[in-house]
Amino acid sequence: SAVISQKPSRDICQRGTSLTIQCQVDSQVTMMFWYRQQPGQSLTLIATANQGSEATYESGFVIDKFPISRPNLTFSTLTVSNMSPEDSSIYLCSVGDPRETQYFGPGTRLLVL
Amino acid sequence: DAKTTQPNSMESNEEEPVHLPCNHSTISGTDYIHWYRQLPSQGPEYVIHGLTSNVNNRMASLAIAEDRKSSTLILHRATLRDAAVYYCILRAYSGNTPLVFGKGTRLSVIA
């Protein structure tokens, strides 16, 4: 299993600013994933982050808006840039597992005013 | 990923069994059937998965139709702590393929 922590757990931000969300895993993992969960909705995959390479973004998400870093096998950051109220969501970090189980962090609750 | 269809919501009485259905008529031969659940204010957590045979673990049982076009997650005795959104997800055989979530079924448990 993998234990995932995220910082911050929640934040309230002003429009036009940026927020960087940190994801820490207690073991080395090859791939990490970032998801967004808008209010009352299901989870949507933002991007896949591999250590040492550029993140792969899903349709509708771009690097300029959601830059991702993956400096090592236990850590990743997601930045939400130039925020607007539409970015108010829960952002979740997730890691895969060779046995096909995926683990999720507790999420970062973001409110943009 | 192949699409799954689940009821939007279901309700159960506490300590009774719950059968959560999932239709996946376009499933391919290499797709595993995964179930995750999301408790309130938490990230999703793994429940169970299977390929062809029925599966049991400490959390639940997974019954898979013979043609694999549908499956049922069975909670043997629902508790208030089982109130969550349950997601049925098809995932190709690969530990590195991220899960793609549908809308899931919101299970309410009544005391």
Side-chain angles (χ1 to χ4, degrees), chain A residues 8-35:
Chain A
S9 59
R10 61 179 66 238
D11 207 342
I12 300 174
C13 300
Q14 297 298 319
R15 70 172 67 209
T17 63
S18 298
L19 176 71
T20 296
I21 302 168
Q22 299 179 5
C23 175
Q24 180 75 52
V25 189
D26 68 343
S27 58
Q28 293 186 340
V29 292
T30 303
M31 302 182 81
M32 297 176 78
F33 312 107
W34 286 97
Y35 288 82

Side-chain angles (χ1 to χ4, degrees), chain A residues 71-86:
Chain A
N72 58 52
L73 292 173
T74 63
F75 187 80
S76 177
T77 67
L78 169 76
T79 299
V80 186
S81 303
N82 187 25
M83 290 184 285
S84 68
E86 291 71 33

Side-chain angles (χ1 to χ4, degrees), chain A:
Chain A
S1 64
V3 177
I4 303 171
S5 60
Q6 290 185 229
K7 290 181 180 179
S9 59
R10 61 179 66 238
D11 207 342
I12 300 174
C13 300
Q14 297 298 319
R15 70 172 67 209
T17 63
S18 298
L19 176 71
T20 296
I21 302 168
Q22 299 179 5
C23 175
Q24 180 75 52
V25 189
D26 68 343
S27 58
Q28 293 186 340
V29 292
T30 303
M31 302 182 81
M32 297 176 78
F33 312 107
W34 286 97
Y35 288 82
R36 180 177 74 181
Q37 188 169 28
Q38 295 178 300
Q41 303 296 313
S42 183
L43 285 78
T44 301
L45 181 66
I46 297 173
T48 298
N50 290 340
Q51 193 267 335
S53 63
E54 294 274 338
T56 303
Y57 290 83
E58 298 299 305
S59 175
F61 298 95
V62 295
I63 188 171
D64 290 344
K65 177 66 176 178
F66 297 102
I68 290 171
S69 77
R70 181 80 199 274
N72 58 52
L73 292 173
T74 63
F75 187 80
S76 177
T77 67
L78 169 76
T79 299
V80 186
S81 303
N82 187 25
M83 290 184 285
S84 68
E86 291 71 33
D87 294 319
S88 298
S89 295
I90 301 172
Y91 293 86
L92 298 109
C93 172
S94 178
V95 301
D97 184 279
R99 298 168 300 168
E100 303 183 4
T101 301
Q102 200 165 317
Y103 300 95
F104 290 81
T108 295
R109 284 159 178 74
L110 171 61
L111 176 63
V112 184
L113 301 177

